[in-house]
Amino acid sequence: MLIAAVSGCTAGGDAEPPPAPVVYAYEQRESESTPEGVVLVRDDKVVARIPGESPTFTADGKYLVSILPGKIAATDVASGKTYEHLLTFTPPKGCEVSASLVGDAVVLAAPTLRRLKLPELTTVEPVSAQLPPRLPACVVGTVGTDLLVVVRNRQGPQLYRVGADGTTRRLGPDPLAPPIDSGPDIIRFSTTGPPRMAYVTSDGNLAEVVHVLDLDSGQDIVPEFAALGLPDRADTVNVRDVWWSASGTLYATMQSQKSRQEVAAVEQQLWQLNGNAWEPAYAMRWLSVRELPDGRRLIILAEESGDPAVGPGNLFEESPQGLRQIAEAVYEVATPPLTTPPPAQPPALGLVWGPYQEGYQAVEPKQIANGGSPTGAVSDITWQNWGTDRATGTGTGWVEGETVAGGHEEKMTVVAFDLGTCGGRPAYRAVHWYPTSESYDPAHYIDACNGQFH
């Protein structure tokens, strides 16, 4: 199962505290040019390379935890120093040890619950809980000061909520996943709004299912699959990743294929949960997306020759200036939990939807190129009202004569409109340019999110 800032002075003369560093980590697979392991980045600089996998940050972002064969490692984000702790037990199948973070400690079932103090990972004390005895258990997260523990028995996994005083109650469906499944997997918790847990199970027929569990009421829902074109769960669905945005929206990257027909799987797609149903957010080879507190996003794009269901991809940073590649052969990316939404982003021009393009996915692009004929490009653009419902600008484009080569340059009017979102971020979803000497025809435009011409 796959998962993968300058201080100044105030008016009164007191120095402002420096902003918190922007940190993230990614798990890199071995390739011809990269070693295997976890890379820790602070303020866009690599500060540590750590052996291991499954990187996870504590809620305050002070420590990064990863796992190695028979060990768990904790790295101090400020100093880059890493501490290791030898595990004296084998975690249950499907138990992601590095996700067992509670405050400034890791809580493990070994076999009873015990706290390991970060970053030295020294044992502090046992944790009181009324869990079924002699069964494999795994701490998967917290709700406030309460622990969430998955216990596995022959009927399937069960979820328990353990209070600070040891009070224990079961949550969600019983079992949480079919007995044949080693899940639940890819467990993610919302950081805003009501406490919710998204998790993935498998029905044994290659169909993976995303659940959303309300951790207060215990209500468990399975979002509708209709938008994926899958009328039933006998069809193949692979869930690569699931995550919550800082605004409380659930996203997932999923790949689907009709299991009863000999057809190729569709491309990995980004989906977002709207009410109780999935709706497409972006149809491209996105594997994972994580938000940074300064408004940037980290995106893993599948390699053109790779399998988006299982392979690593290339890690990019998305900013108003466009995409910048950070690393290759990346399997998973992690950021500290965001408890407040990142600052509002100015809209970009759609998304990059083809090779050799310019201007798309950028804010107030100076030039736009579709990546083909010179008639599909406009340069030296000056915008007047970017950020409003309809932005207009002027630039220079190529007008075709009897042939493309026989054309000439001419002043162009550029219109960007249909303000909404593409790929989960603000964007103009339509663009059109035409000779300024001609009149505007609203029926003709390019869908800036997918490149469809109208």
Side-chain angles (χ1 to χ4, degrees):
M1 167 56 65
L2 299 178
I3 322 302
V6 182
S7 61
C9 295
T10 64
D14 295 330
E16 294 180 356
V22 176
V23 299
Y24 62 89
Y26 55 90
E27 178 187 336
Q28 200 163 33
R29 293 298 171 89
E30 186 175 4
S31 69
E32 293 181 357
S33 58
T34 62
E36 187 174 65
V38 174
V39 179
L40 173 62
V41 179
R42 185 177 68 241
D43 289 337
D44 299 324
K45 295 181 180 180
V46 174
V47 295
R49 295 183 181 272
I50 310 150
E53 58 185 27
S54 301
T56 307
F57 284 94
T58 54
D60 56 14
K62 289 183 178 180
Y63 304 111
L64 173 70
V65 176
S66 57
I67 57 174
L68 300 84
K71 297 179 182 180
I72 184 168
T75 301
D76 187 312
V77 170
S79 67
K81 184 177 180 179
T82 298
Y83 302 81
E84 295 183 1
H85 178 79
L86 188 66
L87 296 176
T88 58
F89 70 103
T90 300
K93 185 178 180 180
C95 179
E96 193 170 326
V97 174
S98 61
S100 307
L101 302 179
V102 182
D104 60 353
V106 179
V107 180
L108 301 177
T112 58
L113 296 180
R114 295 185 178 275
R115 295 181 188 270
L116 301 178
K117 184 75 172 177
L118 291 171
E120 295 87 354
L121 294 169
T122 54
T123 301
V124 176
E125 59 184 7
V127 178
S128 175
Q130 300 168 7
L131 297 170
R134 295 182 296 279
L135 289 176
C138 180
V139 180
V140 297
T142 61
V143 184
T145 59
D146 294 356
L147 301 179
L148 294 170
V149 184
V150 171
V151 176
R152 304 178 190 278
N153 57 34
R154 293 182 179 180
Q155 288 71 45
Q158 297 174 316
L159 180 66
Y160 290 85
R161 182 169 176 169
V162 180
D165 60 354
T167 303
T168 305
R169 64 185 178 95
R170 195 178 56 76
L171 281 179
D174 187 10
L176 203 62
I180 194 173
D181 186 14
S182 64
D185 275 301
I186 321 182
I187 298 173
R188 310 290 190 209
F189 296 92
S190 61
T191 57
T192 57
R196 292 163 292 170
M197 181 181 89
Y199 63 98
V200 178
T201 65
S202 172
D203 66 1
N205 293 319
L206 301 178
E208 295 176 348
V209 181
V210 180
H211 297 249
V212 179
L213 175 64
D214 187 306
L215 295 170
D216 284 336
S217 69
Q219 180 182 12
D220 186 83
I221 67 168
V222 176
E224 296 175 5
F225 274 80
L228 282 74
L230 304 176
D232 58 65
R233 296 184 199 169
D235 298 324
T236 301
V237 180
N238 173 266
V239 183
R240 168 70 187 231
D241 198 7
V242 177
W243 67 94
W244 297 91
S245 72
S247 61
T249 301
L250 181 64
Y251 289 89
T253 44
M254 294 183 278
Q255 187 180 37
S256 61
Q257 175 182 324
K258 298 287 187 180
S259 60
R260 294 180 299 275
Q261 303 175 20
E262 294 183 359
V263 295
V266 301
E267 279 193 334
Q268 195 83 18
Q269 284 191 287
L270 174 64
W271 301 83
Q272 67 183 44
L273 187 60
N274 185 4
N276 190 29
W278 293 109
E279 64 179 25
Y282 187 36
M284 200 171 176
R285 298 171 68 85
W286 288 20
L287 303 182
S288 296
V289 182
R290 294 294 184 272
E291 296 173 325
L292 294 174
D294 58 5
R296 293 177 296 165
R297 296 195 303 182
L298 301 171
I299 302 170
I300 302 178
L301 288 176
E303 299 172 348
E304 289 296 329
S305 59
D307 183 349
V310 297
N314 298 318
L315 179 63
F316 289 81
E317 169 206 282
E318 181 197 56
S319 70
Q321 287 71 45
L323 291 177
R324 178 179 68 89
Q325 184 168 344
I326 296 173
E328 61 182 22
V330 174
Y331 182 72
E332 185 175 355
V333 63
T335 60
L338 284 177
T339 56
T340 57
Q345 294 177 300
L349 180 62
L351 293 166
V352 175
W353 47 266
Y356 311 114
Q357 294 189 324
E358 295 184 53
Y360 289 99
Q361 209 163 318
V363 176
E364 295 192 66
K366 298 301 182 184
Q367 54 187 10
I368 304 170
N370 295 332
S373 168
T375 59
V378 59
S379 61
D380 300 323
I381 306 172
T382 301
W383 297 96
Q384 285 79 41
N385 48 359
W386 193 271
T388 63
D389 289 345
R390 173 175 156 159
T392 58
T394 57
T396 303
W398 189 262
V399 177
E400 185 175 348
E402 292 185 4
T403 64
V404 173
H408 61 276
E409 285 189 340
E410 192 165 323
K411 185 177 181 180
M412 292 284 176
T413 297
V414 189
V415 183
F417 57 102
D418 191 17
L419 186 58
T421 60
C422 284
R425 65 156 293 163
Y428 288 105
R429 298 179 291 193
V431 65
H432 177 55
W433 56 88
Y434 57 94
T436 303
S437 59
E438 298 179 6
S439 58
Y440 170 59
D441 183 355
H444 291 85
Y445 63 91
I446 302 171
D447 187 318
C449 295
N450 59 31
Q452 184 174 354
F453 286 73
H454 298 265

